Amino acid sequence: MDWQTLIDEPAVIAAAVLALGLVVGYLVGQLNKELLTASGVPETVEGTPFERTAQSIGTSTVDIVARLSSWFIYGIAVLTAIHIAQLLDTDAFWFRVVEFIPQAFIAVLVLILGFIVADKSELMVSEYLRGVKVPEVSVIPKLVKYSVLYVAFLVALGQINVYVLPLLILLAVYAAGVVVVGAITFKDFLVSGAAGIYLLLNQPYGIGDRIRIGNQAGIVQEVDLFVTKIEDDSEEYIVLNRRVFDDEIVRVRD
């Protein structure tokens, strides 16, 4: 058997394709890791539950995404080698696999991105609402997180051609339920938000003014959508904006 005959053997070509796929997959994974690191992804996902879980098993979000891109190419190389070597003489199988792998790859990326966005959304909402002294407000960050995850799962399932119409209907019912229950449960919260909009637009008092709301008096330190923070000597009062209308405002003039 001469070299030309050997090179033309399907098994040899398949082995070459497999080796090339392994090299390309490794290089693409390393390149993606460098690009993700340079674009600041590690800092963006730092502190999220997904990143902490990844670190607990000795990896990171960047490593997972980079390895996922490598394994995608490895999978394509393996399937191509199998087809060239004629180990599976089924064109229909090959067509379905080639069609499914990119969809599965995108679905996994959507899920990873969904977990990251959900975790970051929960942290951001928690931080923004930290000064709001309404018991029910602690539910909102979790509600935001699981809403984002639900949408991510819907998109991922749609990518792999799963019938998602019942889930979309469930999402619509869920959204309507959130609106109705939220309007009832967070009545005081919504009233404070409406009062905050009025205060921010009309500015009856500003930072540095001395005011009295009910039996709490001090110098205004901050006014946001839901609360007004006033300070008197060593004490700081966090007053819901709805109390501004319930108890009325008194501006204290020196």
Side-chain angles (χ1 to χ4, degrees):
M1 180 181 294
D2 57 18
W3 283 104
Q4 185 63 40
T5 304
L6 180 63
I7 292 174
D8 290 338
E9 284 292 321
V12 175
I13 298 175
V17 168
L18 183 60
L20 180 63
L22 293 176
V23 173
V24 172
Y26 174 79
L27 293 176
V28 168
Q30 292 299 311
L31 177 61
N32 282 339
K33 184 176 180 179
E34 293 294 332
L35 290 175
L36 291 171
T37 302
S39 61
V41 172
E43 291 77 14
T44 302
V45 301
E46 184 179 2
T48 62
F50 186 88
E51 176 67 10
R52 290 198 298 269
T53 301
Q55 290 179 352
S56 69
I57 57 176
T59 184
S60 66
T61 303
V62 169
D63 285 337
I64 290 174
V65 175
R67 289 175 184 175
L68 187 62
S69 62
S70 293
W71 281 104
F72 174 72
I73 295 177
Y74 296 157
I76 292 294
V78 169
L79 291 172
T80 303
I82 290 174
H83 181 69
I84 292 174
Q86 299 177 355
L87 298 178
L88 287 176
D89 190 17
T90 308
D91 291 337
F93 171 79
W94 173 250
F95 176 77
R96 290 175 182 174
V97 168
V98 170
E99 184 181 33
F100 177 75
I101 285 182
Q103 295 173 340
F105 177 73
I106 294 174
V108 173
L109 282 181
V110 167
L111 286 178
I112 293 175
L113 182 62
F115 274 104
I116 294 172
V117 172
D119 290 338
K120 293 298 289 185
S121 299
E122 182 184 18
L123 291 173
M124 290 174 61
V125 174
S126 297
E127 181 66 22
Y128 184 76
L129 299 177
R130 185 174 57 181
V132 180
K133 303 303 181 182
V134 178
E136 296 87 352
V137 82
S138 60
V139 179
I140 295 180
K142 291 292 184 184
L143 193 63
V144 171
K145 175 182 178 178
Y146 290 113
S147 297
V148 172
L149 284 177
Y150 190 88
V151 173
F153 273 108
L154 279 180
V155 175
L157 291 174
Q159 282 296 320
I160 56 176
N161 296 324
V162 174
Y163 186 65
V164 295
L165 181 59
L167 296 176
L168 288 173
I169 295 174
L170 182 61
L171 177 62
V173 174
Y174 164 76
V178 167
V179 171
V180 174
V181 174
I184 297 173
T185 306
F186 300 104
K187 179 182 177 182
D188 291 340
F189 184 68
L190 296 174
V191 171
S192 291
I197 293 174
Y198 172 83
L199 294 175
L200 292 172
L201 291 176
N202 293 277
Q203 297 184 346
Y205 55 81
I207 295 174
D209 290 342
R210 179 175 290 276
I211 64 172
R212 184 169 65 250
I213 302 175
N215 59 355
Q216 295 171 332
I219 298 174
V220 177
Q221 300 297 317
E222 182 181 346
V223 182
D224 65 20
L225 187 60
F226 301 107
V227 298
T228 294
K229 297 180 181 180
I230 57 178
E231 188 176 279
D232 182 26
D233 295 331
S234 60
E235 295 181 331
E236 182 182 46
Y237 303 106
I238 301 175
V239 183
L240 287 173
N241 286 333
R242 66 178 176 81
R243 284 193 53 199
V244 173
F245 292 91
D246 292 341
D247 300 339
E248 298 183 348
I249 314 166
V250 177
R251 293 186 63 179
V252 180
R253 299 186 182 277
D254 295 332

